Amino acid sequence: MRSFGKNQLTEIEVFFLHAASLTKASTELILPTKYLTALIACDSDQFSVDEISNFAKALLEKGAVYLCFWGKGCERFHDIVDEVEVEMETLGKPCPARHDGILMTTWHKDESLDQALWFLLSCAWPLDDEIESCSTVVITIGNESWANSVASRLENMDQFRKEISDAD
């Protein structure tokens, strides 16, 4: 996992993790904060419901407060994560990080990876009282070109945000 410094909009440290699988990403995702916001970029059609559910539980247990999904099947991934959250709550194990009980989730089916990344960095914010103990992480699974693109964009977040804003 690699740090790219702080997002100037939020003052939250931004990390990047590329892994070959959801299982590998779960074990390698170690952040220095109680909360996290994340963009998960993957072709989720290749993963079983159980694989996605296990990854979702890991994210929730690691303090997920805002999760964004991009890539083929991102709506399915999003829905499975929402179902896992409800199941955990029903079993009396609500998201450990959320004192207000709300996990924000979005999917970005009709957007480019750049647009989904811009959304994460510019719009996917934790609650005010979570900001000081929050990290942002971009997770790419399997696709090396996505990983290279994300790393390149995170090298200069301010310039990236400006380019995307100017393009719209």
Side-chain angles (χ1 to χ4, degrees), residues 32-98:
T33 55
K34 180 178 179 180
Y35 306 110
L36 70 96
T37 62
L39 168 64
I40 296 92
C42 71
D43 174 358
S44 65
D45 287 349
Q46 66 181 315
F47 301 113
S48 70
V49 171
D50 285 344
E51 288 173 304
I52 295 171
S53 295
N54 290 335
F55 182 69
K57 287 175 189 169
L59 287 173
L60 295 172
E61 289 168 355
K62 292 177 187 210
V65 296
Y66 207 126
L67 298 174
C68 306
F69 305 94
W70 180 87
K72 187 176 178 188
C74 63
E75 312 99 307
R76 173 180 172 258
F77 201 117
H78 168 275
D79 292 347
I80 293 169
V81 171
D82 283 350
E83 289 170 9
V84 167
E85 180 199 14
V86 169
E87 178 185 334
M88 288 175 72
E89 194 169 304
T90 302
L91 296 173
K93 301 175 187 175
C95 301
R98 293 315 301 249

Side-chain angles (χ1 to χ4, degrees), residues 12 35-40 59-60 63-69 78 81-82 85 95 97-98 102-108 116 119-127 130 134-137 139:
I12 295 173
Y35 306 110
L36 70 96
T37 62
L39 168 64
I40 296 92
L59 287 173
L60 295 172
V65 296
Y66 207 126
L67 298 174
C68 306
F69 305 94
H78 168 275
V81 171
D82 283 350
E85 180 199 14
C95 301
R98 293 315 301 249
I102 298 170
L103 170 69
M104 295 297 298
T105 59
T106 60
W107 50 266
H108 300 266
F119 182 87
L120 174 73
L121 297 173
S122 303
C123 303
W125 292 28
L127 297 174
E130 297 166 346
C134 190
S135 297
T136 293
V137 62
I139 303 168

